[in-house]
Amino acid sequence: MKHHLSVGANPQNNAHSLSTLRGTSIFSSLSVAEDNDWLARCHMRNLCAGETLVDYEDTSKDVFIVQSGEIRAVLRFAVGKEAILGTFRRGDLLGELSAIDEMARSASLMAVSDAIVTVIPYAVFHDILKSRRGVCLSLMQLLSRRIRSMNERVSELSFLDTKHRLYNALLRLSRLRADGEGERIISPPLVHAELAEHIGSSRETVSREMSRLIREQLIERTSRAIVLKDPVELSRRISRALEG
């Protein structure tokens, strides 16, 4: 069942209650007046954790901005087998490929947690692109970054074995810990099944390698985070693997 956030009988009121489009990087060049005008033609959708925003091969062409929560792009190969293509949080744009090439969705988009997204209808998205050169340039830059990231993932799958792909994923998914003197954290912590989906492996394989990293004191797992105690050593191991 689709859930929509209702703020009143008038959908215009609902649209004006949203966060601005300008809070997202590709729309940052819009003026306040332009932002209000475009926003009045959009609406908001409220998702429960586990709910699907769009399915793989869906023919819809709307574009979405995450306002809160977390949305994940997933490819399912078989029952219980899937690959995580990306994770999107507040301010991230998603769903733009189908709006550009008018082809079916290339992945499923699913809410990892309760989430709210701004829905930009296909016609509105194209009206903005036609009228604002700055938005077009920002969109091209976003797509370029995603292509570069995808190239890195392809290289990772081509040249690294499972354990080194895991090291790379831990580094990629983590952020620098503010008070950790070079330590990095993944918070909230990902379960082993999720890490396995990120690297195209099995939960059992990831569990074995994570246990080994804990024994070597390279990582620490708490109820609130995975802590990378020595990210430099993980990077060294990846470098050595790439050197052959």
Side-chain angles (χ1 to χ4, degrees), residues 21-32 34 132 134-135 138:
L21 297 179
R22 294 169 72 231
T24 300
S25 60
I26 77 157
F27 296 122
S28 60
S29 62
L30 295 178
S31 68
V32 173
E34 288 171 327
R132 286 306 307 262
V135 173
S138 295

Side-chain angles (χ1 to χ4, degrees), residues 74-123:
V74 175
L75 266 181
R76 291 186 174 89
F77 300 99
V79 177
K81 297 291 185 181
E82 59 185 34
I84 298 173
L85 302 182
T87 300
F88 303 88
R89 300 179 180 86
R90 179 172 174 80
D92 286 338
L93 184 85
L94 60 159
E96 74 286 343
L97 289 184
S98 290
I100 293 171
D101 62 18
E102 300 189 357
M103 297 180 67
R105 300 289 184 182
S106 59
S108 297
L109 300 175
M110 183 190 72
V112 179
S113 61
D114 290 352
I116 299 172
V117 299
T118 300
V119 180
I120 306 174
Y122 168 85

Side-chain angles (χ1 to χ4, degrees), residues 159-160 164 235-244:
F159 301 115
L160 294 176
H164 291 98
S235 294
R236 285 196 194 104
R237 293 185 179 190
I238 294 169
S239 296
R240 288 197 295 266
L242 289 171
E243 290 168 0

Side-chain angles (χ1 to χ4, degrees), residues 152-153 155-157 160-174 199 228 234-235 238 242:
E152 291 174 3
R153 296 288 297 275
S155 297
E156 175 186 317
L157 290 169
L160 294 176
D161 60 16
T162 302
K163 69 178 181 180
H164 291 98
R165 293 204 304 270
L166 175 61
Y167 303 164
N168 207 38
L170 291 171
L171 291 169
R172 183 177 67 246
L173 297 169
S174 63
I199 66 172
L228 278 59
L234 293 178
S235 294
I238 294 169
L242 289 171

